[in-house]
Amino acid sequence: MFSGAAVAGLSSKSKHIQQLLSQCRMVSQVSDTISFPREEEKVLEFWNSNEIFKKSLEQSKAAQRPRFTFYDGPPFATGLPHYGHLLAGSVKDIVTRYAHQNGYHVERRFGWDCHGLPVEHEIDKKLGITGPDDVARIGIDKYNAECRSIVMRYAAEWESTVNRIGRWIDFENDYKTLYPWFMESVWWAWSQLFAKGLVYRGYKVMPFSTACNTPLSNFEVNMNYVDVTDPAVIVNFPLDQEPGVSLVAWTTTPWTLPSNLALCVHPTHDYVKILDKSRNAKYIMMEARLCALYKDEAEYEVLEKFKGSALVGTTYKPLFPYMESMKQTGAFKVLCDTYVTSDAGTGVVHQAPAFGEDDYRICLANGVFKKGQEPYICPVNASGKFLPLVSDFKDLHVKEADKHIIRHLKEDGRMVHASTINHSYPYCWRSDTPLIYKVIPGWFIKVTAIRDKLLSNNDKCYWVPEFVKEKRFRNWLEDCRDWSVSRNRYWGTPIPLWVSDDGEEVVCVGSIQELKDLTGADITDIHRESIDHLTIPSKCGKGDLKRVPEVFDCWFESGSMPYSQQHYPFENVSQFESNFPADFIAEGVDQTRGWFYTLLVLSTALFDKPPYKNLIVTGLVLAADGKKMSKRLKNYPDPNYILDKFGADALRLYLINSPVVRADTLRFKEEGVKDILKDVLLPWFNAYRFLIQNIIRLKKEDNVDFVFDKSLTRTGDNVMDDWIQSYTHSLIKFVNVEMGAYRLYTVVPRLIKFIENLTNWYVRLNRSRLRGEMVGSLLSKIDCILSVHTLFSVLLTINRLMSPFTPFITEMMYQNMKLSINKKNFWGNTDSIHFLMIPKFDPEMVNEDIERQVAIMQSVIEAGRILRDRNTLPIKYPLKEIVVVDADPRLLKDATSLESYIVSELNVRKLTVSSDKQKYDVRLTAKPNHMLLGKRLKKDFKPVSAAIAALTDGELTEMKESGSRNILGHVIQFDELHTAYEVKSATGSYAATSLNNILVLLDCNTDQDMMEEGQAREVINRVQKLRKKAHLVPTDKIFVYYKVDNENSDIVKVLGKYKSFIETAIKSDFADTQPTSDVIITEKVEVKGCKFTLTLCGKVNSAASCLVAQQWPGGRPEGGYLFVKYNDITREVMVSPHAAAPLTTEILESEVKAMFGLFGQHVSLQNGDNVLRTSDKDLSALVGKTITVTAQ
């Protein structure tokens, strides 16, 4: 059984093993079923009651570990967390856990964004606020008090969900942007920018939310584009110099026409004067845009052609009289600029400088208006309503006014054409209402002045994925504009500027103490209601300086969080400066124009450094139909439902194994989370359960208290042990490399492959060793213990490695497994798996030769399984021969080295290897892939198909090696073919296939002995299924009795001939004699048409009863009567032979109700045709019988 070297190796370990047998407590039995969500809740309780997270921070701080700095982007607590938050939270938690378990101290503070539109908009809706006058009426103090009252509305829900997802983050030591000390650091940052000359006040056309009465930043505009239908009109502008001729201009914002002050054309493009035949009118427009008004050239006649520059200076009749007086100072004339395009409109652009950025630039440059006239040329208030100047539409919202303006223009004869357009239009990200562009006064940061530094600092950062950095973000930086940081709002950090009435004297305050010194006031809070009344005496004799009314854009606050959360520079100076920039941040792709951007702008302006070193960008999580998740449409499952149904570990793995971690979109599907449970967590759990079963079996059968000692994992005594250890360390190396590169999305596929190798290969091929079924010698027992050591080592290692990814299942397994660990294996506190370090890659544990050999073995076995399936040859029925054909002698040697596993797993008599393919008369054949080649070759497909079918084995082999072949003038790729191996009929019984370039043949002939052995294996299968149905565990000792219906059937011979074979497999006596022990379960089965009855008898381990009882509501009472619940659909139970007292119908009813949760219901109990009556006092005759339960 063992080689000489193996015997020596095992013997040397025997003494060491004996020394370990009394060093641990016994592990707990594991149920064969599991609810991952319920187990996670138990782990959460363990973490909370033992303050595991807090202790982990205390340990790393006490050990003076190097710091790993992480910044948490602050969410608003006025809304509930969604999948986007859970995604980002999972990514952050995985990376920070991994850093902690790699020897770093990782401070993780939760942050809250408390100011700004999200809060104010809720209060506006609550109080019916429509504009500044409403706020003035109730008072800023009362308005802000309302805002403060809802800031943390959903804080409890946030904390609950964040904890439930398994994220470790400090809520007690959080930061809130409303804290005065946080706001003070924001003031400091602003004062530094002011001192550097990067701050200025000016007018700009900005995106403006009329619902929130405030401008938005350019990056906020990109957060919410909506597909809408808007009016599209073409209007005429009669020329003063040429009566009867009009310029025609196109616009999708009719509401801006009352503010028209000029027209603009392209200087070098061709324009034409035409006669509109149907309207009998003369128009001027760009020649290339005649299609905007006409479908056919016959509809018009070209009268004249000229360049756009010829129109410059031409004046025209205003559309409305409201600003007609400005004609005397240069308005209502034609201007030119190259921003006019030939791909939309008429090539004549109407200019409303108060509502268009280019309009403002061009009109100001050409003297249409002067600086200081902005309030006059903008007749729209902060609520988006027309001022009295526009008398015909006074007090109408601009969007509401569109239809009235169109009607007015039609009545006045100025409308040429009216239609609609479907396009993408920016909406306010908070109020979900359409934005307008509006000229406003405000305070700006000169971002354009530091553009080159921004690009340089961005180059110093590492992004995952990189294309977001190099394309989306870099393009945004290259086109950056000055940042409007002032908001005409109330609930926010006030801009700390005190200005004289003439605007000439400005004092920038950088701290609370400075404001106290300048005003003499006692200051505890710096919100508007607390400081707006404070004045600063002028040093220039200009009276008292008053604070400007604006507050900061809340993005300025969140962009300041690296230093504001530390109250820098007023506190924690060395702590901040020694740990800046952050080692890691992560948020969604929408933050490329949000938080990522503001962090970089402020960090560059203040410190000339990037704010972060490493950054993960996540994509958007959409509903399964590809649409945005909508509470109204209910097109996605509630996150709490998913967590309660599948658990956090499954959700975390699903999210990080999706395109969303590569900044792509994810269509969220519940089935995807379920697949993670099925493909990863459940097999992983089953391997752990199998391990625990065998540790308990060692104690029960061999009186061995298993103690894990990692020194026993370096065996070299078993190739599969060496392989799984090598494969484990290859995985460690891979995970360490990928996590070092922040590529979380590559880990789960490798984990799935590892779990498959562990369960389907290592455990499956070593089941007999692990179960101690190779009985006899002491060496066999030692080998069993060493194999359990190997499985224990691998599971412990993988649990430690994956604990940052799946913190719950790894903790659950570890808490049981650690009872069998020799404490000398670890240093320090071992109370939680999250206190342990990530396992280090050990190159000495890697054996590439063994990994290659096992990979070849796997390919051969998988190919053999394919051939069995194709030829309907169940694995239970043995076959004569498997043949591996390859020209590489090393491959053949590798296959031979693991022959015992191949023949056992494929149930064949022998393995043959050969380098002579001709000996077996096997050839490669090919057919074209119709889907690929049919579309590409079209009419040539038929002759090429015939040529492909005629290719010889040699030609196809050559094509396979080169990758392609020229066939009838077309280069055909090998992967565009459907290929197969065929064995000529003269060879007889072989079937052939190729897998991973290894040719495998299987002899499909069977004889009578093989058929009979197959039937014996079928019988073994039926016994094992019955054991499982009875919820028996491997350590339960039973006796199996069989009774054949027809004593003349073929199965009688098989059962007799293979009796010893069956008994060895089922580890039980197997006989046709009447059993004398207690009946556990009985069932009629069938094998190849032969029917017989199987009965399992014997005394059952109490642990099995406990396992069944755990499934019952309230648990099974001591000395219960119902031993097995084996059919939960028809509600059938079996009466236990171990009753503690005589069984009555009343007692039976009580247990049945507890088992099936039928409290408060009447139940009917029936055995066959016999309905049990309440008066029945002794049901001992029903022991071992089946009772059917019916609820009424």
Side-chain angles (χ1 to χ4, degrees):
M1 184 180 297
F2 301 102
S3 67
V7 169
L10 293 174
S11 299
S12 67
K13 295 178 176 67
S14 175
K15 184 176 180 181
H16 184 51
I17 290 172
Q18 295 296 324
Q19 293 172 349
L20 296 172
L21 297 185
S22 60
Q23 297 182 14
C24 72
R25 293 170 289 163
M26 192 62 184
V27 295
S28 300
Q29 179 65 273
V30 178
S31 171
D32 58 353
T33 60
I34 183 174
S35 168
F36 288 103
R38 302 296 80 78
E39 292 298 325
E40 290 180 355
E41 289 167 1
K42 294 176 186 176
V43 171
L44 276 175
E45 174 58 30
F46 166 73
W47 287 345
N48 293 334
S49 61
N50 292 278
E51 297 185 318
I52 299 298
F53 173 45
K54 183 179 179 180
K55 288 178 181 176
S56 73
L57 292 176
E58 291 172 350
Q59 291 170 16
S60 61
K61 189 173 184 179
Q64 297 183 332
R65 295 184 189 174
R67 285 181 175 266
F68 180 92
T69 309
F70 157 71
Y71 295 154
D72 190 35
F76 290 98
T78 49
L80 292 171
H82 51 67
Y83 285 106
H85 296 118
L86 300 187
L87 165 64
S90 297
V91 170
K92 296 171 186 177
D93 189 59
I94 289 168
V95 172
T96 53
R97 280 181 183 270
Y98 188 85
H100 172 85
Q101 292 178 254
N102 266 286
Y104 290 92
H105 175 64
V106 189
E107 185 180 75
R108 285 156 273 181
R109 298 175 62 191
F110 200 82
W112 300 99
D113 218 337
C114 303
H115 289 146
L117 291 183
V119 181
E120 290 190 305
H121 185 61
E122 293 297 314
I123 297 305
D124 287 351
K125 289 190 294 183
K126 175 184 175 181
L127 302 181
I129 302 293
T130 60
D133 292 343
D134 295 331
V135 177
R137 186 173 60 255
I138 67 171
I140 292 177
D141 57 340
K142 292 183 175 61
Y143 182 86
N144 277 1
E146 290 282 352
C147 290
R148 190 185 294 271
S149 71
I150 71 161
V151 160
M152 303 304 291
R153 175 189 290 171
Y154 296 116
E157 288 84 351
W158 268 91
E159 187 166 353
S160 173
T161 302
V162 168
N163 286 334
R164 183 62 190 87
I165 197 69
R167 185 181 178 195
W168 277 3
I169 193 160
D170 190 349
F171 281 98
E172 292 182 8
N173 188 33
D174 66 356
Y175 73 85
K176 295 183 177 72
T177 58
L178 60 74
Y179 289 155
W181 53 262
F182 187 99
M183 297 166 69
E184 184 176 31
S185 290
V186 173
W187 274 14
W188 168 82
W190 175 256
S191 69
Q192 297 300 299
L193 300 179
F194 188 86
K196 292 182 177 185
L198 293 175
V199 171
Y200 69 92
R201 179 175 171 82
Y203 279 93
K204 272 197 175 183
V205 176
M206 296 290 298
F208 195 90
S209 171
T210 59
C212 298
N213 311 134
T214 192
L216 302 181
S217 302
N218 286 314
F219 53 80
E220 290 178 288
V221 175
N222 292 278
M223 296 171 67
N224 190 20
Y225 267 80
V226 179
D227 291 332
V228 297
T229 300
D230 274 331
V233 299
I234 297 177
V235 183
N236 67 57
F237 294 84
L239 300 181
D240 292 330
Q241 293 86 347
E242 200 170 351
V245 178
S246 299
L247 284 156
V248 289
W250 174 81
T251 183
T252 60
T253 54
W255 64 268
T256 61
L257 291 172
S259 304
N260 170 265
L261 291 179
L263 298 173
C264 190
V265 297
H266 195 288
T268 61
H269 286 195
D270 291 327
Y271 285 75
V272 290
K273 181 194 299 182
I274 61 168
L275 173 66
D276 185 312
K277 295 179 181 179
S278 64
R279 296 181 179 85
N280 193 29
K282 294 178 183 178
Y283 298 140
I284 294 175
M285 61 190 299
M286 187 183 289
E287 182 180 31
R289 294 305 305 157
L290 286 167
C291 59
L293 195 54
Y294 305 104
K295 295 181 179 179
D296 195 318
E297 293 182 5
E299 297 178 55
Y300 61 86
E301 177 186 348
V302 176
L303 303 177
E304 190 178 346
K305 182 175 178 179
F306 41 83
K307 297 295 182 183
S309 57
L311 295 168
V312 174
T314 304
T315 60
Y316 60 88
K317 178 184 176 182
L319 284 171
F320 294 93
Y322 315 128
M323 301 180 191
E324 197 167 12
S325 62
M326 293 186 68
K327 192 168 187 177
Q328 307 304 317
T329 57
F332 305 106
K333 63 183 178 183
V334 178
L335 313 174
C336 69
D337 193 270
T338 55
Y339 97 98
V340 179
T341 67
S342 59
D343 57 6
T346 63
V348 179
V349 182
H350 120 78
Q351 304 288 287
F355 305 112
E357 191 172 2
D358 284 310
D359 306 35
Y360 182 91
R361 171 180 60 81
I362 294 165
C363 289
L364 182 63
N366 285 275
V368 173
F369 74 97
K370 293 181 174 59
K371 283 280 189 180
Q373 285 187 294
E374 286 88 354
Y376 176 74
I377 64 173
C378 180
V380 174
N381 68 15
S383 298
K385 296 180 179 180
F386 280 112
L387 296 171
L389 176 66
V390 184
S391 55
D392 297 297
F393 313 109
K394 182 182 68 170
D395 295 332
L396 278 178
H397 189 277
V398 292
K399 286 294 185 178
E400 173 65 21
D402 272 344
K403 57 188 176 184
H404 300 286
I405 292 170
I406 291 172
R407 184 170 63 248
H408 184 284
L409 293 172
K410 286 180 179 178
E411 293 171 353
D412 203 32
R414 304 296 293 269
M415 183 66 68
V416 177
H417 182 71
S419 61
T420 59
I421 184 174
N422 296 316
H423 63 158
S424 186
Y425 190 83
Y427 269 51
C428 174
W429 64 277
R430 192 65 246 170
S431 63
D432 208 30
T433 56
L435 298 176
I436 65 172
Y437 281 79
K438 181 176 182 289
V439 68
I440 58 159
W443 294 92
F444 296 84
I445 296 175
K446 295 179 183 177
V447 178
T448 51
I450 59 172
R451 179 186 289 117
D452 291 344
K453 290 184 178 180
L454 291 175
L455 291 167
S456 175
N457 282 333
N458 183 50
D459 289 340
K460 299 172 185 176
C461 304
Y462 175 75
W463 287 56
V464 176
E466 188 179 16
F467 74 83
V468 180
K469 167 189 172 180
E470 295 299 334
K471 294 182 179 179
R472 182 175 182 141
F473 195 62
R474 185 176 183 84
N475 292 342
W476 181 250
L477 294 178
E478 288 176 344
D479 296 332
C480 68
R481 302 178 184 183
D482 289 350
W483 178 8
S484 171
V485 294
S486 57
R487 296 291 177 268
N488 305 102
R489 297 301 302 179
Y490 313 95
W491 179 241
T493 299
I495 293 180
L497 294 174
W498 272 255
V499 183
S500 61
D501 291 340
D502 62 5
E504 295 296 322
E505 185 179 357
V506 179
V507 173
C508 180
V509 176
S511 70
I512 294 175
Q513 186 60 49
E514 183 181 357
L515 184 59
K516 288 180 179 180
D517 295 341
L518 290 170
T519 63
D522 183 23
I523 301 168
T524 57
D525 182 61
I526 54 175
H527 284 90
R528 282 195 63 176
E529 65 273 19
S530 300
I531 65 168
D532 273 7
H533 63 285
L534 300 178
T535 59
I536 297 175
S538 169
K539 293 182 178 180
C540 303
K542 295 180 180 288
D544 288 336
L545 309 185
K546 301 180 182 66
R547 198 191 70 81
V548 297
E550 296 95 338
V551 298
F552 281 114
D553 172 10
C554 62
W555 290 97
F556 187 87
E557 295 177 314
S558 59
S560 301
M561 62 76 52
Y563 27 92
S564 296
Q565 69 167 343
Q566 301 283 353
H567 194 207
Y568 177 87
F570 309 101
E571 295 182 82
N572 307 308
V573 174
S574 62
Q575 181 177 326
F576 168 73
E577 292 180 352
S578 62
N579 295 287
F580 181 82
D583 290 289
F584 164 71
I585 67 169
E587 293 295 343
V589 68
D590 53 323
Q591 297 302 326
T592 52
R593 296 176 179 180
W595 191 52
F596 299 156
Y597 176 70
T598 60
L599 282 173
L600 182 63
V601 168
L602 293 177
S603 177
T604 299
L606 293 171
F607 308 107
D608 196 17
K609 290 182 179 180
Y612 37 75
K613 300 174 185 175
N614 303 287
L615 185 157
I616 293 178
V617 187
T618 59
L620 300 178
V621 183
L622 305 176
D625 57 6
K627 296 179 181 177
K628 186 177 180 180
M629 288 186 171
S630 167
K631 291 181 180 178
R632 179 178 57 83
L633 297 175
K634 297 180 179 179
N635 61 350
Y636 67 97
D638 184 271
N640 290 318
Y641 162 80
I642 293 294
L643 289 170
D644 191 59
K645 184 173 182 180
F646 301 111
D649 282 341
L651 179 58
R652 288 164 67 112
L653 289 186
Y654 171 69
L655 290 173
I656 69 162
N657 191 41
S658 70
V660 78
V661 192
R662 299 188 293 275
D664 206 343
T665 55
L666 165 66
R667 294 189 177 193
F668 188 92
K669 296 180 180 179
E670 183 177 332
E671 297 80 8
V673 186
K674 183 178 180 181
D675 286 343
I676 290 290
L677 207 70
K678 173 175 62 72
D679 297 336
V680 182
L681 299 185
L682 199 54
W684 191 353
F685 167 77
N686 285 335
Y688 156 73
R689 181 171 60 87
F690 182 73
L691 169 69
I692 298 301
Q693 284 178 347
N694 284 285
I695 291 175
I696 292 174
R697 181 197 56 75
L698 280 171
K699 174 62 176 176
K700 180 169 183 179
E701 295 183 356
D702 300 319
N703 197 29
V704 171
D705 291 307
F706 176 82
V707 183
F708 171 71
D709 191 298
K710 61 183 179 183
S711 66
L712 294 177
T713 60
R714 296 175 178 269
T715 66
D717 302 317
N718 181 280
V719 66
M720 292 305 292
D721 288 352
D722 291 347
W723 167 70
I724 197 64
Q725 292 285 8
S726 176
Y727 195 73
T728 300
H729 278 267
S730 293
L731 178 65
I732 292 172
K733 180 181 180 181
F734 174 82
V735 171
N736 287 340
V737 169
E738 295 304 292
M739 287 300 292
Y742 293 88
R743 291 188 291 265
L744 278 63
Y745 52 86
T746 64
V747 174
V748 177
R750 283 292 290 264
L751 174 63
I752 293 173
K753 182 65 177 176
F754 180 87
I755 295 297
E756 178 190 353
N757 274 330
L758 178 64
T759 57
N760 292 346
W761 293 101
Y762 179 75
V763 172
R764 181 184 176 94
L765 271 58
N766 289 271
R767 194 173 295 271
S768 295
R769 289 178 66 223
L770 290 160
R771 283 177 169 170
E773 293 173 353
M774 300 170 68
V775 295
S777 66
L778 173 63
L779 293 182
S780 296
K781 184 181 293 186
I782 295 172
D783 185 51
C784 168
I785 295 173
L786 290 177
S787 68
V788 174
H789 256 91
T790 298
L791 181 56
F792 194 105
S793 169
V794 169
L795 278 172
L796 181 61
T797 300
I798 194 68
N799 286 349
R800 289 169 57 202
L801 182 65
M802 295 308 299
S803 58
F805 295 84
T806 52
F808 291 103
I809 186 175
T810 52
E811 185 76 274
M812 177 201 73
M813 295 180 188
Y814 173 75
Q815 288 303 317
N816 197 19
M817 292 174 67
K818 75 175 185 178
L819 300 175
S820 289
I821 296 177
N822 182 351
K823 293 296 181 65
K824 294 180 180 179
N825 283 273
F826 300 105
W827 295 98
N829 192 319
T830 58
D831 289 348
S832 168
I833 194 168
H834 303 289
F835 291 169
L836 307 182
M837 294 296 99
I838 296 294
K840 300 299 182 183
F841 169 67
D842 185 352
E844 292 185 6
M845 295 295 287
V846 175
N847 189 321
E848 294 180 356
D849 289 337
I850 288 181
E851 288 196 38
R852 185 192 68 250
Q853 291 165 7
V854 172
I856 290 168
M857 177 199 75
Q858 289 172 321
S859 295
V860 173
I861 291 173
E862 287 173 349
R865 289 171 180 167
I866 291 170
L867 291 171
R868 275 188 172 275
D869 289 342
R870 285 180 186 171
N871 293 276
T872 320
L873 296 168
I875 200 73
K876 294 181 182 65
Y877 291 82
L879 295 173
K880 291 180 181 178
E881 182 184 28
I882 185 93
V883 181
V884 177
V885 181
D886 199 276
D888 183 359
R890 189 176 74 169
L891 185 148
L892 299 180
K893 183 180 178 181
D894 287 344
T896 304
S897 70
L898 297 173
E899 177 179 2
S900 61
Y901 293 106
I902 294 173
V903 297
S904 174
E905 192 63 18
L906 288 176
N907 195 12
V908 295
R909 300 295 195 217
K910 69 172 181 176
L911 166 70
T912 300
V913 297
S914 175
S915 59
D916 186 4
K917 189 169 68 171
Q918 302 304 319
K919 174 182 176 181
Y920 294 92
D921 211 4
V922 61
R923 66 181 296 267
L924 185 61
T925 63
K927 294 179 181 179
N929 185 319
H930 288 250
M931 288 288 291
L932 296 176
L933 290 177
K935 187 182 297 184
R936 179 158 75 86
L937 301 180
K938 297 179 182 178
K939 64 179 182 178
D940 292 339
F941 177 70
K942 191 171 182 179
V944 171
S945 296
I948 290 172
L951 291 173
T952 66
D953 176 80
E955 290 169 333
L956 283 169
T957 301
E958 182 182 324
M959 183 179 179
K960 180 180 179 181
E961 292 173 354
S962 64
S964 64
R965 184 181 180 87
N966 190 306
I967 301 176
L968 301 182
H970 297 276
V971 177
I972 307 299
Q973 301 297 320
F974 187 78
D975 57 12
E976 291 179 309
L977 307 179
H978 291 304
T979 59
Y981 281 96
E982 291 183 354
V983 181
K984 291 189 176 181
S985 57
T987 311
S989 58
Y990 288 103
T993 192
S994 176
L995 186 65
N996 298 327
N997 293 321
I998 300 175
L999 178 58
V1000 176
L1001 287 74
L1002 183 68
D1003 188 340
C1004 298
N1005 270 351
T1006 60
D1007 56 26
Q1008 185 62 31
D1009 282 344
M1010 293 177 181
M1011 291 299 294
E1012 289 177 354
E1013 183 182 327
Q1015 291 177 34
R1017 289 175 182 270
E1018 296 269 20
V1019 173
I1020 293 168
N1021 174 260
R1022 302 302 189 275
V1023 173
Q1024 304 295 28
K1025 284 184 176 180
L1026 200 57
R1027 286 180 64 103
K1028 187 174 182 180
K1029 181 179 280 190
H1031 294 280
L1032 301 181
V1033 295
T1035 52
D1036 288 329
K1037 298 298 183 182
I1038 62 167
F1039 173 85
V1040 182
Y1041 161 69
Y1042 68 88
K1043 181 175 177 57
V1044 180
D1045 288 11
N1046 182 358
E1047 294 184 357
N1048 295 318
S1049 65
D1050 294 338
I1051 198 69
V1052 174
K1053 176 186 175 183
V1054 171
L1055 295 178
K1057 181 178 179 180
Y1058 287 93
K1059 180 177 185 296
S1060 178
F1061 176 74
I1062 294 171
E1063 288 180 336
T1064 300
I1066 65 176
K1067 298 177 72 174
S1068 167
D1069 291 335
F1070 184 75
D1072 60 352
T1073 56
Q1074 183 70 33
T1076 57
S1077 54
D1078 299 320
V1079 172
I1080 299 171
I1081 189 171
T1082 185
E1083 185 172 273
K1084 181 162 287 190
V1085 297
E1086 181 178 333
V1087 172
K1088 292 294 182 181
C1090 299
K1091 297 180 180 180
F1092 56 99
T1093 301
L1094 287 175
T1095 302
L1096 307 188
C1097 310
K1099 295 290 184 180
V1100 180
N1101 189 326
S1102 60
S1105 303
C1106 293
L1107 292 179
V1108 178
Q1110 288 172 5
Q1111 302 175 27
W1112 301 5
R1116 178 171 180 254
E1118 190 68 30
Y1121 296 88
L1122 301 179
F1123 176 65
V1124 176
K1125 179 181 78 169
Y1126 68 86
N1127 195 328
D1128 202 9
I1129 299 174
T1130 58
R1131 289 182 180 153
E1132 294 176 339
V1133 298
M1134 181 174 292
V1135 179
S1136 168
H1138 308 300
L1143 177 61
T1144 66
T1145 303
E1146 185 179 358
I1147 294 174
L1148 187 58
E1149 283 186 359
S1150 175
E1151 282 216 23
V1152 164
K1153 288 180 179 180
M1155 175 181 286
F1156 294 112
L1158 300 175
F1159 299 106
Q1161 300 183 51
H1162 176 70
V1163 295
S1164 172
L1165 307 177
Q1166 189 170 342
N1167 170 234
D1169 296 329
N1170 179 30
V1171 178
L1172 306 188
R1173 299 185 301 272
T1174 307
S1175 59
D1176 293 336
K1177 299 300 183 184
D1178 185 2
L1179 302 180
S1180 57
L1182 295 178
V1183 169
K1185 300 295 178 62
T1186 298
I1187 306 293
T1188 302
V1189 182
T1190 306
Q1192 299 176 344

